[in-house]
Amino acid sequence: MTDDTDLDELRAKRLVAAGRAAERRLSGSLREDTVGELLAGLTAPDPDEPADLYGDGVVARLERRVAELLGTQDAAFFPTGTMAQQVALRCWAGRTGNPVVALHPMSHPERWEAGALSVVSGLRTVHPTTEPRQPTPQEVRELPEPFGTLMLELPLRDAGFLLPAWEELEELVAAARERDAIVHFDGARLWESTVHFGRSLAEVAALADSVYVSFYKSLGGLSGAALAGSESLVAEARVWRHRYGGQIFRQFPAALSALAGLEAELPRLPSYVAQARVVAQALREAFAAAGVPWWRIHPEVPHTHQFQVWLPYEADRLTDAGIRLAEETGTVLFRRWSADGPPGVSMTEVDVTSPGLTWTPESTRAAAAAFLARL
């Protein structure tokens, strides 16, 4: 008898195989690349450049490039975003004398870091809101206890890749300043947020005291992150990076791939955001035409090149329909679905990148109809 674990593993293998064989997809999947393919895409502008040692060379060049893009005095490379933010928030707690961090309960440190803020760094969190949206300035002003740092995840991924309006972001920062608090941006996906804000990366980063950015999310790097801010903050962060075990001997593969992503993918992100809005509209039209009893595209107009789709079916049924669509037609529309909502309602995240730029409203509606026919 096959148990649920075996079925999940089988689905995962079929998803990867179908994705690799597909002729049409909205984006690639991080699970589909092979070691050989990743190595083949790793090139050095100067192959004779000395390899980095403990963060010099190409790693230092990447740090300077990030600081330049974000308009900050300095930036430090970290092996993971989790470590970068742990260090940033710990540094601010030490400087403010207040270990309380105000952040959303759906933010990455609360959902995906196994309680590390408290267990590792001795910090405590408070939540301006528990609603699945960005907090409001009034909620920040009315928090009943002092907090040393306000952390804003831009965009708030688990709530639907949601961003505040530019004016709302300015007011959120002002509300934190009124509380004598530091402002830190979790900008793992900040790169693609400039379209929604109508501002440059440097203008967005200038609102905060520190910013974390990811190199594998959106940019397609192998791994790694950066923490950007003032010279003194970054100098302190480098000390804590060493204490946390992040002073890695050689990191040139991650640094080279990050620089390549900044060169090739960063300029293309606005086109991905625009195309995501085309795809979202076509999906709405397809679901309405098919008479699906209940569905949601969230947000209705995507804030970035990623958004959520909600349908009234069990997650495994939806995942299996997507696999069959890919295996039978060579088209990947949706990948894995999850039961993150009420019983009988499931959600998937749609990511539109370079492969999705060729999709038209007509081809998107046709793919959606073919998917629904397999439910």
Side-chain angles (χ1 to χ4, degrees):
M1 180 179 294
T2 303
D3 60 22
D4 290 342
T5 301
D6 291 336
L7 287 174
D8 287 342
E9 291 178 355
L10 178 61
R11 285 192 182 93
K13 291 178 180 178
R14 288 178 64 194
L15 275 169
V16 170
R20 286 183 56 80
E23 299 174 358
R24 298 179 65 249
R25 69 197 80 186
L26 290 170
S27 69
S29 169
L30 296 176
R31 298 179 181 274
E32 292 169 5
D33 294 322
T34 66
V35 171
E37 289 166 343
L38 292 174
L39 289 175
L42 192 63
T43 58
D46 179 7
D48 296 323
E49 176 183 9
D52 63 293
L53 297 175
Y54 293 116
D56 64 1
V58 65
V59 177
R61 180 149 47 91
L62 172 61
E63 291 173 336
R64 291 192 296 272
R65 180 59 177 146
V66 170
E68 176 187 344
L69 286 167
L70 297 180
T72 59
Q73 292 179 352
D74 204 353
F77 181 85
F78 279 79
T80 71
T82 296
M83 184 184 293
Q85 295 211 118
Q86 291 284 322
V87 166
L89 296 174
R90 182 166 193 155
C91 287
W92 288 128
R95 291 180 174 216
T96 63
N98 188 329
V100 179
V101 180
L103 77 174
H104 199 285
M106 298 178 78
S107 62
H108 196 278
E110 294 286 70
R111 282 210 164 183
W112 304 107
E113 297 178 17
L117 277 183
S118 59
V119 175
V120 178
S121 299
L123 307 180
R124 186 163 60 84
T125 61
V126 294
H127 303 146
T129 181
T130 58
E131 295 293 322
R133 55 167 172 77
Q134 292 284 352
T136 67
Q138 192 64 23
E139 288 167 339
V140 171
R141 292 188 182 97
E142 293 178 352
L143 269 170
E145 62 179 303
F147 54 94
T149 304
L150 172 67
M151 194 203 91
L152 296 173
E153 184 176 310
L154 303 175
L156 187 57
R157 182 260 180 96
D158 284 348
F161 305 94
L162 299 182
L163 289 163
W166 176 253
E167 294 75 15
E168 292 170 336
L169 181 59
E170 289 182 310
E171 292 176 14
L172 278 165
V173 171
R177 304 294 187 208
E178 292 171 18
R179 300 291 300 268
D180 296 321
I182 292 296
V183 176
H184 170 75
F185 287 168
D186 175 341
R189 298 172 174 83
L190 191 71
W191 308 114
E192 62 265 36
S193 300
T194 55
V195 176
H196 178 83
F197 289 136
R199 299 294 190 281
S200 68
L201 284 167
E203 287 176 293
V204 178
L207 293 180
D209 297 287
S210 59
V211 180
Y212 140 66
V213 289
S214 173
F215 296 127
Y216 79 88
K217 296 168 182 173
S218 306
L219 296 181
L222 292 177
S223 63
L227 175 64
S230 68
E231 289 180 356
S232 64
L233 173 72
V234 174
E236 182 183 358
R238 288 190 169 107
V239 175
W240 279 105
R241 179 182 64 188
H242 184 56
R243 290 169 174 159
Y244 272 64
Q247 191 75 355
I248 297 174
F249 179 54
R250 283 202 171 115
Q251 302 170 95
F252 68 88
L256 286 173
S257 66
L259 284 167
L262 290 172
E263 178 71 21
E265 283 298 295
L266 183 58
R268 305 185 73 179
L269 288 176
S271 67
Y272 300 166
V273 176
Q275 181 67 357
R277 294 171 179 176
V278 172
V279 170
Q281 175 61 27
L283 289 175
R284 283 196 296 271
E285 294 168 357
F287 295 154
V292 178
W294 185 96
W295 53 268
R296 288 291 184 276
I297 306 294
H298 180 65
E300 186 174 343
V301 177
H303 294 177
T304 70
H305 65 291
Q306 298 169 296
F307 58 92
Q308 294 177 343
V309 175
W310 293 78
L311 288 175
Y313 303 95
E314 297 295 335
D316 289 346
R317 181 178 175 185
L318 290 162
T319 299
D320 289 342
I323 293 172
R324 290 198 303 275
L325 176 69
E327 291 174 338
E328 295 165 10
T329 71
T331 296
V332 175
L333 178 61
F334 305 122
R335 288 185 169 87
R336 185 177 295 277
W337 292 74
S338 59
D340 284 349
V345 177
S346 303
M347 182 273 291
T348 191
E349 293 176 344
V350 175
D351 184 10
V352 179
T353 58
S354 181
L357 294 178
T358 61
W359 287 53
T360 64
E362 293 76 18
S363 64
T364 304
R365 289 193 293 268
F371 169 78
L372 293 171
R374 286 166 170 78
L375 289 174

